[in-house]
């Protein structure tokens, strides 16, 4: 059976389950003000309307998130982190490879906790050109249908840090047109499945290590993006203040989009810099109305970002979380 034949079969299944979805507007016809929009009225014989993510995409409060090894599979790790920093996170990161099934159980755990799951979808093996050309459509349709069937809010990043050169989907292996075409194609597949319970979160790396890669050509457009995410880390050999790390990227972003910002991944290496970095993250949220929050990567990765035993950093986190009443609202 060819991929095209398989895609046809899966698509017919989707239309059988979500028949009214075929009448949904195409991505290009959706209002530019908000990419996902509200779903149509439910059919008497169809599924319930898609979860309306607009209040979460444009919240009155602010997000304080965490990425933890072993979570959300083990939510006790989230509880321990919340006890440590004195505040329950309301965003929790889930990492998925592009060939994984949708992590429905993990998303459900995060939602029950009162947080928004942010899924980082990583196409390690799939080429962006192939995604854009529809060669992975059977998988995409299956994933989108699973997202819609669960019908809980999900923030979704796809091929994050695409302006870097450290991932297979990065700028050294792909053109900006490849990336934009792949993103828009995935968005269209989700729209046909009526999977509008998604906050589309386009997430480049801070431009500092890759200043020659312009962000504007990589941007799919406001009709396809709800949040602009940013990944950036405070390091001893690199930028050590919020302005040095994030301001150049934000300045460039604001030349082509006014979408809300979320720091989707950040952390600081050990030392006095870490306490200051944490303080400045909270200060930036208080001063910038366009900054929805940040997600602290409390794991070891390219560096040691774990703050658990760093008393000054933990104290700064607790003080920052306590000083802003907008932080930590329950998602559900």
């Amino acid at each position: 059976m060819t991929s095209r034949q398989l895609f046809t079969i899966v698509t017919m299944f989707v239309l059988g389950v979500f028949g009214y979805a075929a009448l949904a507007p195409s991505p290009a016809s959706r209002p530019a003000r908000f990419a996902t929009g509200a779903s149509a009225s439910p059919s008497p014989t169809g599924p319930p309307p898609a979860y309306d993510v607009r209040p979460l995409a444009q919240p009155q409060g602010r997000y304080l998130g965490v990425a933890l090894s072993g979570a959300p599979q083990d939510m006790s790790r989230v509880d321990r982190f919340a006890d440590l920093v004195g505040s329950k996170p309301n965003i929790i990161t889930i990492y998925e490879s592009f060939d994984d099934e949708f992590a429905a159980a993990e998303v459900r755990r995060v939602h029950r906790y009162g947080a928004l799951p942010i899924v980082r979808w990583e196409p390690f093996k799939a080429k962006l050109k192939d995604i854009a050309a529809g060669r992975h459509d059977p998988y995409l349709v299956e994933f989108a249908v699973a997202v819609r069937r669960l019908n809980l809010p999900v923030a979704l990043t796809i091929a994050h840090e695409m302006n870097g050169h450290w991932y297979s989907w990065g700028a050294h292996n792909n053109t900006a047109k490849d990336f934009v075409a792949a993103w828009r194609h995935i968005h269209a597949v989700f729209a046909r499945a009526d999977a509008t319970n998604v906050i589309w979160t386009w997430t480049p790396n801070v431009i500092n290590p890759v200043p020659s890669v312009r962000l504007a050509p990589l941007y799919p457009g406001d009709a396809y993006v709800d949040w602009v995410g940013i990944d950036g880390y405070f390091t001893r050999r690199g930028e050590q203040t919020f302005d040095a790390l994030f301001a150049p990227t934000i300045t460039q972003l604001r030349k082509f989009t006014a979408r809300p910002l979320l720091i989707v991944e950040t952390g600081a290496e050990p030392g006095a810099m870490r306490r200051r970095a944490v303080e400045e993250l909270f200060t930036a949220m208080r001063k910038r109305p366009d900054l929805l929050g940040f997600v602290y990567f409390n794991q070891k990765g390219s560096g040691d970002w774990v703050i658990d035993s760093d008393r000054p950093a933990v104290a700064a986190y607790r003080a920052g979380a306590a000083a802003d009443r907008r932080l930590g609202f329950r998602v559900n």
Side-chain angles (χ1 to χ4, degrees):
M1 181 181 296
T2 67
S3 296
R4 185 176 295 276
Q5 290 170 326
L6 179 58
F7 176 54
T8 301
I9 292 171
V10 176
T11 301
M12 292 301 294
F13 168 76
V14 175
L15 295 177
V17 178
F18 301 118
Y20 67 96
L23 302 177
S26 66
S29 66
R30 291 183 183 275
R33 177 175 173 269
F34 193 79
T36 48
S39 63
S41 298
S43 166
T45 59
Y51 194 110
D52 186 357
V53 296
R54 287 177 296 180
L56 299 178
Q58 300 170 344
Q60 296 297 313
R62 289 294 178 264
Y63 289 102
L64 196 53
V66 68
L68 291 167
S69 178
Q73 294 85 351
D74 180 2
M75 290 298 292
S76 68
R77 301 186 182 205
V78 180
D79 289 331
R80 286 196 293 272
F81 180 80
D83 290 342
L84 177 73
V85 299
S87 177
K88 293 184 67 172
N90 58 354
I91 283 187
I92 297 172
T93 304
I94 299 172
Y95 292 90
E96 288 213 52
S97 175
F98 196 73
D99 53 359
D100 287 341
E101 293 181 356
F102 174 57
E106 288 84 353
V107 168
R108 191 178 293 111
R109 289 189 193 102
V110 172
H111 186 71
R112 288 173 178 168
Y113 183 81
L116 175 70
I118 186 161
V119 175
R120 312 212 72 177
W121 209 6
E122 303 171 316
F124 286 108
K125 299 178 182 178
K127 296 181 179 179
L128 296 182
K129 281 186 177 180
D130 289 343
I131 294 172
R135 294 188 178 95
H136 295 277
D137 279 2
Y139 168 66
L140 288 175
V141 171
E142 180 182 5
F143 198 97
V145 169
V147 170
R148 177 63 177 89
R149 183 184 298 119
L150 183 63
N151 203 20
L152 293 176
V154 175
L156 181 64
T157 75
I158 304 167
H160 59 276
E161 302 176 16
M162 77 299 289
N163 58 320
H165 52 73
W166 40 89
Y167 289 124
S168 60
W169 57 81
H172 63 308
N173 285 333
N174 305 272
T175 68
K177 289 183 178 179
D178 293 335
F179 178 83
V180 169
W183 183 285
R184 290 179 177 179
H185 183 77
I186 293 170
H187 191 283
V189 171
F190 274 64
R192 287 195 293 271
D194 194 44
T196 59
N197 50 306
V198 172
I199 300 172
W200 295 86
T201 310
W202 178 77
T203 308
N205 194 77
V206 290
I207 64 173
N208 308 50
V210 282
S212 63
V213 180
R214 307 303 295 173
L215 295 180
L218 289 161
Y219 189 61
D222 282 356
Y224 305 90
V225 173
D226 301 313
W227 287 347
V228 170
I230 309 175
D231 291 351
Y233 287 82
F234 301 83
T235 63
R236 286 188 291 268
R237 293 185 177 181
E239 289 73 21
Q240 299 184 12
T241 67
F242 183 93
D243 285 343
L245 181 59
F246 291 106
T249 304
I250 294 173
T251 297
Q252 192 174 134
L253 291 170
R254 285 302 177 236
K255 293 179 180 179
F256 58 86
T257 182
R259 284 289 190 241
L261 303 173
L262 178 75
I263 297 175
V264 180
E265 203 172 274
T266 192
E269 288 184 321
M273 172 187 62
R274 180 183 280 162
R275 174 192 58 77
R276 184 175 65 249
V278 171
E279 290 174 345
E280 291 187 358
L281 285 165
F282 283 102
T283 298
M285 275 198 293
R286 290 195 299 271
K287 290 184 175 181
R288 295 195 63 100
D290 59 342
L291 182 58
L292 297 179
F294 69 87
V295 180
Y296 192 88
F297 187 83
N298 200 51
Q299 307 180 42
K300 290 185 178 180
S302 58
D304 181 3
W305 318 111
V306 181
I307 67 172
D308 295 28
S309 300
D310 190 329
R311 291 184 179 180
V314 170
Y317 196 113
R318 295 180 71 95
D324 194 338
R325 293 182 178 180
R326 301 172 302 166
L327 293 172
F329 68 94
R330 282 187 64 88
V331 166
N332 57 353

